[in-house]
C-alpha cells in the first residue's frame, strides 16, 4: 500500500566523504530560499501530476470495479495494469536520447512530459466512457494506456529532477516533489471516493454516472501539470547523453526497444508453449518430431518463439540491445556477483505489502466499512502516518545507516500484515481499523525512506535515468505478478490466511538484507578508511557531476 510510490521516488545521489567535506556550508536563509525557487514550484506541480494516474488505475479503480459487482479474481488480474511501471526501463533509453517530432520544439524532456500528460488526461476521460458492468474490457484497455503514459511521465520526471539542479538542492526538490505527489494520491484515493459518493454511488447503490463524473473531474486535474511543463525551461543536455545520442541514433534506439520487447515476450512464451505441447511423447516414442511439427500447434509456437529468442540473442540482436545493455553492464561490472543479491533484495523488498495492498480496499468493502470510513482512515489518516514514518526513517538512517533501517522497515511492513489478519476476524471494527492502518502506513513510510536511499546509492549518475528506472521496475515486477493472483488467493485461503501468507513472503527479503548487512560490516571493519556511508554499497564507477544551474 504505502510502498507503491517508492518506485517513483526522487533519486538522491550519495556523495563520497571527500565530496561532502568539499561542499560549502549554507546558511538557514539560503537553505529555505531553495523552496522559493521556480524549480521547487515546478517539482511540486509535476509531483501532483505524477501522483494522480497511478492511484486511479490501481486502488481507486478496484473500488469502482467492486462496487460494479466485478469478481475479486478479475480485480486481482486487473491489477496487472501496474506491470507498465515494472517494465518502464524498456523504453527509458528512448526518452534519454530522442526528441519527439513537433512537440520536440519544447525540448527533450518537456516534449515527453507534455505527450505523456496529454495521454493521461485523455485516458482518464476515456475511462469515464465505459461502465465496467457492460464494457469491462474497454475500460481495462484504456486504463492500460493511462498506466503506460503515466510510467513514461515518471521516466521523464526522474531525468528532469536529476538535471535541473546541483546536489545541494536535490533534497529540497525531492521534498517538493513528494509533497505534490502525496497530495495527488490523497485526492485520487480519498478524494475520489468522497466525490463518487457525493455524486450518488453509495454502498450497494452502484451508480455508473457518479464514477464517470469522478474520472472526468480528475482528467481536468492534469491541467496544472501540463501548464507547468509548458512554462518551465528545458534543462541542459548532459555531455554523457550527447555522446550516447551520437553513438546510438534514433533507428538504433527503436531497434533496441523492439528487440527487447520481442525478447521479453518470446522467452516466457517459449517455455509456456513447450509445457503445453506433446513433446514428452517423443521421449516415449509415441510421436515423432515430424508429427509435432505437422499437428501440434503448441510445439509450432514453441519453435517460432525459440527462433525469435535466438535471433534476439545473436550478434545482431546484441548490437541492437546496446543502448539498453550499456547501463545494465555498468551495474554488473560495479557489483559483479553481489549484483545477484542486490537484485534479489530489490525484487522482493516491497512484495509483502504490495501483494497485500491489491486486496486492501476490496477487503475494507467486504468487511462492511463505508467509503467514507475507508477514505477517512485509510487515506486521510494513513497519509499522515506515512509521512511521519518517512520522517522518522530519515532520522534513523542518518543515525544508524541505511541497511539497519532497511531491515527494520522490511520487518515492520511484513509484521503489520498480521494486524489485517486479526481485523478480518473482528468485522467492521473502526478502532482496530485505525490502529491497523496507522501501523501499516507508518511502517510503509519507514521502509520507503530506507529503500529510496538504498536505490539511490546503487545508481551511477552517468546512467541515472535508465538505471533508476530499471531498479524501480525490478522492485515492482515480482510483487505485481504475484499481486495479480491475490484475488485467487483470497478466494482459496480466505482473508486471514491470505494476510498470513503475505507476511511470510517478507522473510526471504530479511535474509537477503541480513546477508548484505553482514558483508558491509565486514567490509567496513576491514577497510575503516573507505569513504562512503555505512551500510551503503560503494560504487567503483566514476559519478558524473550535476549541473550547476537550474533551468528557470
Amino acid at each position: 500500500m504505502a510502498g507503491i510510490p517508492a518506485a517513483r521516488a526522487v533519486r538522491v545521489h550519495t556523495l563520497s566523504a571527500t565530496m561532502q567535506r568539499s561542499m560549502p556550508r549554507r546558511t538557514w536563509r539560503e537553505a529555505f530560499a531553495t523552496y522559493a525557487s521556480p524549480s521547487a514550484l515546478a517539482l511540486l506541480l509535476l509531483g501532483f501530476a505524477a501522483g494522480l494516474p497511478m492511484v486511479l488505475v490501481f486502488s481507486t479503480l478496484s473500488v469502482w470495479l467492486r462496487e460494479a459487482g466485478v469478481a475479486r479474481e478479475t480485480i486481482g488480474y486487473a491489477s496487472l495494469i501496474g506491470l507498465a511501471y515494472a517494465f518502464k526501463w524498456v523504453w527509458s533509453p528512448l526518452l534519454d536520447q530522442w526528441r519527439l517530432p513537433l512537440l520536440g520544439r519544447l525540448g527533450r524532456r518537456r516534449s515527453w512530459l507534455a505527450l505523456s500528460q496529454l495521454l493521461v488526461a485523455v485516458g482518464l476521460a476515456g475511462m469515464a466512457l465505459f461502465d465496467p458492468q457492460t464494457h469491462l474490457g474497454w475500460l481495462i484497455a484504456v486504463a492500460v494506456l493511462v498506466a503506460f503514459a503515466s510510467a513514461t511521465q515518471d521516466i521523464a520526471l526522474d531525468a528532469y529532477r536529476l538535471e535541473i539542479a546541483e546536489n545541494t538542492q536535490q533534497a529540497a526538490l525531492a521534498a517538493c516533489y513528494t509533497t505534490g505527489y502525496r497530495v495527488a494520491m490523497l485526492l485520487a484515493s480519498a478524494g475520489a471516493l468522497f466525490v463518487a459518493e457525493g455524486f450518488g454511488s453509495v454502498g450497494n447503490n452502484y451508480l455508473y454516472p457518479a464514477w464517470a463524473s469522478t474520472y472526468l473531474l480528475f482528467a481536468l486535474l492534469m491541467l496544472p501539470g501540463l501548464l507547468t511543463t509548458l512554462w518551465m525551461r528545458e534543462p541542459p543536455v548532459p555531455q554523457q547523453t550527447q555522446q550516447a545520442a551520437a553513438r546510438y541514433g534514433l533507428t538504433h534506439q527503436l531497434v533496441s526497444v523492439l528487440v527487447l520487447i520481442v525478447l521479453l515476450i518470446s522467452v516466457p512464451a517459449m517455455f509456456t508453449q513447450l509445457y503445453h505441447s506433446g513433446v514428452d511423447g517423443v521421449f516415449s516414442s509415441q510421436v515423432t518430431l515430424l508429427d509435432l511439427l505437422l499437428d501440434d500447434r503448441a510445439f509450432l509456437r514453441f519453435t517460432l518463439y525459440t527462433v525469435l529468442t535466438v535471433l534476439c540473442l545473436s550478434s545482431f540482436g546484441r548490437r541492437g540491445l546496446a543502448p539498453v545493455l550499456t547501463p545494465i553492464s555498468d551495474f554488473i561490472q560495479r557489483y559483479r556477483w553481489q549484483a545477484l543479491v542486490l537484485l534479489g533484495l530489490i525484487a522482493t523488498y516491497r512484495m509483502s505489502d504490495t501483494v497485500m495492498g491489491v486486496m486492501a480496499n476490496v477487503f475494507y468493502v467486504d468487511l462492511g466499512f463505508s467509503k467514507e470510513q475507508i477514505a477517512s482512515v485509510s487515506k486521510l489518516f494513513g497519509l499522515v502516518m506515512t509521512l511521519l514514518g518517512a520522517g522518522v526513517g530519515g532520522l534513523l538512517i542518518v543515525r544508524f545507516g541505511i541497511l539497519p533501517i532497511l531491515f527494520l522497515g522490511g520487518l515492520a511492513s511484513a509484521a503489520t500484515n498480521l494486524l489485517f489478519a486479526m481485523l478480518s476476524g473482528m468485522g467492521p471494527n473502526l478502532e482496530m481499523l485505525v490502529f491497523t492502518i496507522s501501523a501499516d502506513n507508518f511502517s510503509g513510510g519507514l521502509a520507503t525512506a530506507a529503500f529510496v536511499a538504498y536505490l539511490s546509492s546503487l545508481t551511477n549518475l552517468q546512467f541515472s535515468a535508465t538505471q533508476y528506472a530499471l531498479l524501480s521496475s525490478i522492485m515492482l515486477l515480482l510483487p505485481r505478478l504475484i499481486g495479480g493472483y491475490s484475488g485467487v488467493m483470497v478466494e482459496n485461503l480466505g482473508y486471514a490466511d491470505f494476510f498470513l501468507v503475505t507476511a511470510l513472503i517478507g522473510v526471504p527479503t530479511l535474509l537477503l538484507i541480513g546477508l548484505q548487512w553482514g558483508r558491509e560490516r565486514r567490509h567496513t571493519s576491514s577497510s575503516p578508511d573507505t569513504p562512503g556511508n555505512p551500510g551503503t554499497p560503494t560504487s567503483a564507477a566514476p559519478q558524473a557531476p550535476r549541473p550547476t544551474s537550474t533551468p528557470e
Side-chain angles (χ1 to χ4, degrees), residues 255-330:
V255 169
S256 175
V257 173
L258 178 61
V259 171
L260 190 55
I261 291 175
V262 171
L263 188 62
L264 290 173
I265 294 175
S266 60
V267 171
M270 178 179 64
F271 289 103
T272 301
Q273 296 303 319
L274 180 63
Y275 176 78
H276 289 96
S277 70
V279 70
D280 55 332
V282 175
F283 300 101
S284 60
S285 300
Q286 296 177 356
V287 295
T288 64
L289 286 176
L290 182 61
D291 294 330
L292 291 177
L293 289 172
L294 294 176
D295 301 325
D296 194 328
R297 293 185 177 181
F299 187 79
L300 286 175
R301 288 191 289 267
F302 160 74
T303 305
L304 173 62
Y305 288 125
T306 302
V307 171
L308 291 174
T309 301
V310 171
L311 288 175
C312 291
L313 297 177
S314 65
S315 58
F316 168 78
R318 291 195 300 271
R319 285 196 300 270
L321 288 172
V324 176
L325 293 180
T326 300
I328 297 175
S329 62
D330 167 80

Side-chain angles (χ1 to χ4, degrees), residues 194-212:
F194 279 127
V195 171
E197 191 164 280
F199 283 149
S201 188
V202 182
N204 295 325
N205 182 28
Y206 169 69
L207 189 63
Y208 160 65
W211 282 102

Side-chain angles (χ1 to χ4, degrees), residues 419-467:
L419 296 176
F420 285 89
M422 295 174 58
L423 178 62
S424 66
M426 300 175 64
N429 187 309
L430 187 59
E431 291 77 13
M432 184 61 183
L433 178 67
V434 171
F435 178 74
T436 301
I437 293 299
S438 299
D440 179 65
N441 282 267
F442 182 87
S443 64
L446 182 72
T448 297
F451 198 62
V452 168
Y454 195 64
L455 283 187
S456 301
S457 71
L458 299 178
T459 7
N460 184 352
L461 192 58
Q462 183 176 349
F463 308 104
S464 56
T466 302
Q467 283 189 357

Side-chain angles (χ1 to χ4, degrees), residues 177-196:
Y177 173 84
T178 303
T179 301
Y181 187 90
R182 292 291 185 176
V183 170
M185 283 189 64
L186 177 63
L187 288 177
S189 52
L193 297 183
F194 279 127
V195 171

